Amino acid sequence: MILRQFLHSDPVAASYLFGCGGKASAAVVDPVGDVRSYLDAAAATGMRILYVVDTHVHADHVSSGRALAEASGAQYVLFEGTGAGFPFRGVKDGTVLELGNVTAKVMHTPGHSPEHVSLLVTDRTRAPEPWFILTGHTLMVGDLGRTELASSAEEGARALFATARRLKGLPDHVEVFPGAYSGSVCGRSLSGKATSTIGFEKRFNKAFRIEDEEAFVAAMVADIPPPPPEAARIRAVNVGTAS
């Protein structure tokens, strides 16, 4: 297993390159900025990028996903229900992306946005159980992602409650690698530490801990951070309906 985390400050976001070094197979998740950094990281580890995945249609930055997929010859991957104006590989809940000895199982995790997915990653050379999960803007360290990007904040919060219950069912040892950290507008009480575990977040993440659905909804729709500047336009660019 090879895993590289890229932390960005403008916007505040996290991207990932991971895969199987032995089989030279990699994926990049939520790329931001210049694609050269991902191409160089893949070259340095001797891996070919097979998939470029955006966990959701971003609203705080223009994604580098399509550009990186074109530059690397990879498949560009989005949730199958994403209404994009360009070709992409549509995945659904349960789809498995094969990367040599590494697998990435798609989990549909709506709430932050309806098309949001997470990737549950297993290294079969180490264990048959998952090792970590890339959670995008759903479960982050210290909080859960904002919900107003769904058709309504309450609808998004209810979807996120169901997603949170599902994520709590993962083993406590599973590591959490989110798509944002402290300073991002996509969450409220985010930590500056950009990794955690399911078990730690179950114990100490105040939103993730809430077990009652109505209490959860009330907490998630209260004091929602203001949306990113030009959020609607950026989302339109990222789905190919604007330039």
Side-chain angles (χ1 to χ4, degrees), residues 42-66:
T45 52
M47 295 195 297
R48 176 171 167 252
I49 300 172
L50 302 183
Y51 309 105
V52 177
V53 184
D54 267 323
T55 56
H56 61 293
V57 179
H58 298 279
D60 60 341
H61 68 276
V62 175
S63 170
S64 300
R66 280 188 286 162

Side-chain angles (χ1 to χ4, degrees), residues 68-111:
L68 178 58
E70 182 177 352
S72 62
Q75 295 183 33
Y76 182 49
V77 178
L78 294 168
F79 180 64
E80 65 177 2
T82 304
F86 48 80
F88 64 93
R89 175 173 176 181
V91 295
K92 60 184 179 180
D93 191 75
T95 298
V96 176
L97 302 178
E98 295 281 350
L99 295 164
N101 294 313
V102 173
T103 62
K105 184 178 181 180
V106 175
M107 296 179 66
H108 183 210
T109 49

